[in-house]
Amino acid sequence: MDRERFGQQMDFILEIDKEKQIQRQTHIRGYARAEDDAEHAWHMAIMAYLLREYANEPVDIARTMMMILTHDIVEIDAGDTYAYDDEGNQTKEEREKKAADRIYGLLPADQGQELMALWREFEECETPEARFAHVMDNFQPLMLNDINGGNDWRRHSVRISQTLKRNEKTASGSEEIWSYMAELLEKNVRIGNLIDDRD
């Protein structure tokens, strides 16, 4: 065993435990508490595996799952930026890039570069795997918002135009899942959980 390499791997493994402390705006089913980043990642990874048949293109599901499991690690430093926080989203990219450099830099160079490449691939959203990972990243909180009676949407006075803007590329990863998501959004507009600001 290369003790120096193993030590770097252990430093990273222990560092990412902090992801369990990053609270999100989305609540777990039943609305008892906010979910954390690690729970979000775990849920999406299982969803991706089970729902991969609905991806528009064949995907390397192991690569997709690894992308899902690692892309929010940067929030250990950068914090969770709420999807509809216009001010926070202005500095998100810079904060997350700095965090990625530090956190993935804890690993041996080969593994750090591998995870950094996965993070960049997710952010660029140009491969079938990244597009499908983004579907899961948008579907998971939407699904929880719906099952929780739209409480988080109402609490933040979210408008349908905001959800449509956030999901403008979702169909590029899965037309079938986006069709289902659009039905959920329209239902929540009808019952008043989302503000209908369309002309």
Side-chain angles (χ1 to χ4, degrees):
M1 176 187 287
D2 179 335
R3 284 286 182 168
E4 182 179 357
R5 180 179 175 85
F6 184 70
Q8 291 173 310
Q9 291 165 329
M10 288 302 300
D11 286 345
F12 177 82
I13 287 166
L14 290 170
E15 182 69 10
I16 66 171
D17 187 69
K18 294 177 182 176
E19 194 177 8
K20 299 172 188 174
Q21 300 171 34
I22 308 301
Q23 296 297 300
R24 293 171 43 80
Q25 295 295 320
T26 305
H27 284 69
I28 62 170
R29 184 174 183 176
Y31 213 74
R33 62 174 175 80
E35 72 173 352
D36 64 47
D37 266 0
E39 292 168 324
H40 172 60
W42 159 83
H43 208 184
M44 287 190 296
I46 293 177
M47 288 171 62
Y49 182 81
L50 295 175
L51 302 177
R52 67 191 184 276
E53 65 197 85
Y54 306 111
N56 289 347
E57 305 166 81
V59 295
D60 177 338
I61 196 59
R63 184 174 186 80
T64 303
M65 292 171 73
M66 194 62 188
M67 199 179 297
I68 285 169
L69 288 168
T70 59
H71 84 274
D72 276 341
I73 286 172
V74 296
E75 294 184 0
I76 290 169
D77 287 359
D80 175 58
T81 305
Y82 184 49
Y84 308 116
D85 176 359
D86 292 336
E87 186 177 333
N89 277 296
Q90 290 177 13
T91 62
K92 178 182 175 184
E93 185 176 343
E94 180 184 339
R95 287 183 285 116
E96 291 191 348
K97 172 62 171 70
K98 184 177 177 183
D101 287 340
R102 184 191 76 79
I103 298 168
Y104 296 132
L106 296 172
L107 282 163
D110 62 321
Q111 291 184 322
Q113 289 165 8
E114 179 185 355
L115 293 192
M116 179 69 88
L118 278 176
W119 178 73
R120 286 195 186 110
E121 182 179 343
F122 178 87
E123 293 299 312
E124 291 164 3
C125 197
E126 293 178 356
T127 63
E129 289 76 17
R131 286 191 287 268
F132 193 60
H134 271 273
V135 174
M136 297 299 103
D137 200 30
N138 290 338
F139 184 29
Q140 191 263 357
L142 187 153
M143 174 187 70
L144 288 176
N145 271 313
D146 176 67
I147 201 70
N148 283 330
N151 284 335
D152 289 323
W153 285 322
R154 289 199 317 272
R155 184 163 59 99
H156 292 284
S157 299
V158 175
R159 303 180 306 277
I160 185 64
S161 64
Q162 293 174 292
T163 64
L164 294 174
K165 174 72 173 168
R166 176 168 174 75
N167 284 283
E168 62 188 354
K169 295 182 180 177
T170 300
S172 71
S174 174
E175 292 177 5
E176 290 181 283
I177 293 176
W178 167 241
S179 178
Y180 178 74
M181 291 168 66
E183 289 174 20
L184 293 183
L185 290 171
E186 289 299 335
K187 179 189 82 173
N188 280 279
V189 168
R190 286 195 307 274
I191 60 181
N193 293 332
L194 285 164
I195 298 167
D196 192 352
D197 61 342
R198 295 169 293 192
D199 294 332

